[in-house]
C-alpha cells in the first residue's frame, strides 16, 4: 500500500504491485526478473515461462528473442530472469551480456511520484524537486503526460525556476502520440 495514491499519465494506483519471475536451472542457479502487475500478467507469465521449462538458458534466451508478440511487460521480466541466470553461470555482471562497459559509475536521479489530486502541478513538482535536492540528488525525472501539454510545460518551467540547479528529465509513460511530442 502506498502512502498516497500514485497518479501518473495513463492511470493511477493505491498499491505498488509487482510480478516477480524466478527461474531456476538444473544446476541450482537462480535468476530473477520483475515487472508491473498489469491485467493478465500472471497468466501470460505462466504461459510464457511454461515454454521455457526444460530449456537450456541460451536456448530460452533465443526463444524469448523470437516472441515479439508476447506481453511486453512479462516478456521483459522473463528475459531479465533468463539473462540473470546466464550472467551468473558465466560469472559476469548482467551488463556483461549486453556489451562492453562504457562507464564505471552511474549518477543516480530521483523519479517523480506523479500527480497529486487537487494540487496544482507546479506546487506538486516544486515541493518534490525541493525534497529531491535536499536528499542530495542532482537530477529529477518528472512523470508528465496527464494534463494538457501547454499546462505541463508551464508547470515545468515554473518548477525549474523555483528549484534551480537540478538536471531535468521527463517521462510521458506512453500518454502522448508521436504528433504530440
Amino acid at each position: 500500500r502506498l502512502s498516497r495514491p500514485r497518479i501518473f499519465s495513463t492511470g493511477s494506483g493505491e498499491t505498488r504491485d509487482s510480478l516477480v519471475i524466478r527461474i531456476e536451472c538444473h544446476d541450482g542457479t537462480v535468476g530473477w526478473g520483475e515487472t508491473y502487475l498489469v491485467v493478465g500478467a500472471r497468466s501470460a507469465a505462466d504461459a510464457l515461462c511454461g515454454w521455457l521449462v526444460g530449456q537450456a538458458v541460451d536456448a530460452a534466451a533465443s526463444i524469448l528473442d523470437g516472441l515479439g508478440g508476447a506481453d511486453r511487460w512479462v516478456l521483459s521480466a522473463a528475459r531479465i530472469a533468463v539473462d540473470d541466470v546466464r550472467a551468473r553461470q558465466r560469472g559476469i555482471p548482467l551488463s556483461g551480456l549486453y556489451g562492453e562497459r562504457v562507464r564505471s559509475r552511474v549518477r543516480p536521479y530521483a523519479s517523480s511520484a506523479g500527480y497529486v489530486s487537487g494540487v496544482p502541478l507546479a506546487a506538486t513538482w516544486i515541493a518534490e524537486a525541493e525534497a529531491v535536492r535536499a536528499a542530495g540528488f542532482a537530477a529529477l525525472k518528472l512523470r508528465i503526460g496527464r494534463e494538457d501539454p501547454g499546462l505541463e510545460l508551464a508547470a515545468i518551467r515554473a518548477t525549474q525556476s523555483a528549484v534551480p540547479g537540478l538536471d531535468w528529465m521527463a517521462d510521458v509513460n506512453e500518454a502522448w502520440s508521436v504528433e504530440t511530442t
Side-chain angles (χ1 to χ4, degrees), residues 34-124:
E34 181 267 343
T35 189
Y36 295 107
L37 185 59
V38 295
V39 174
R42 176 61 193 263
S43 59
D46 288 343
L48 179 63
C49 292
W51 297 341
L52 302 179
V53 173
Q55 299 290 328
V57 291
D58 289 329
S62 293
I63 290 169
L64 293 173
D65 283 345
L67 295 177
D71 179 287
R72 64 192 172 135
W73 299 103
V74 172
L75 182 58
S76 173
R79 184 56 198 249
I80 292 168
V82 166
D83 285 353
D84 190 23
V85 168
R86 293 172 65 219
R88 290 174 191 268
Q89 288 178 338
R90 289 167 170 79
I92 62 173
L94 182 63
S95 62
L97 293 176
Y98 306 126
E100 189 175 317
R101 180 185 286 195
V102 295
R103 63 185 59 87
S104 61
R105 295 176 55 120
V106 177
R107 186 177 71 155
Y109 65 87
S111 187
S112 169
Y115 299 82
V116 177
S117 184
V119 179
L121 284 175
T124 297

Side-chain angles (χ1 to χ4, degrees), residues 21-25 27-32 81 84-85 88-89:
I21 294 179
R22 179 184 185 271
I23 294 180
E24 183 173 350
C25 289
D27 67 359
T29 306
V30 174
W32 298 91
D84 190 23
V85 168
R88 290 174 191 268
Q89 288 178 338

Side-chain angles (χ1 to χ4, degrees), residues 159-179:
T159 303
Q160 290 173 319
S161 293
V163 188
L166 289 176
D167 289 336
W168 299 92
M169 295 163 275
D171 187 344
V172 174
N173 295 118
E174 301 179 10
W176 290 351
S177 66
V178 172
E179 293 78 23

Side-chain angles (χ1 to χ4, degrees), residues 7-30:
I7 304 169
F8 49 96
S9 62
T10 58
S12 64
E14 295 184 7
T15 61
R16 171 59 163 102
D17 302 314
S18 295
L19 174 76
V20 178
I21 294 179
R22 179 184 185 271
I23 294 180
E24 183 173 350
C25 289
H26 68 282
D27 67 359
T29 306
V30 174

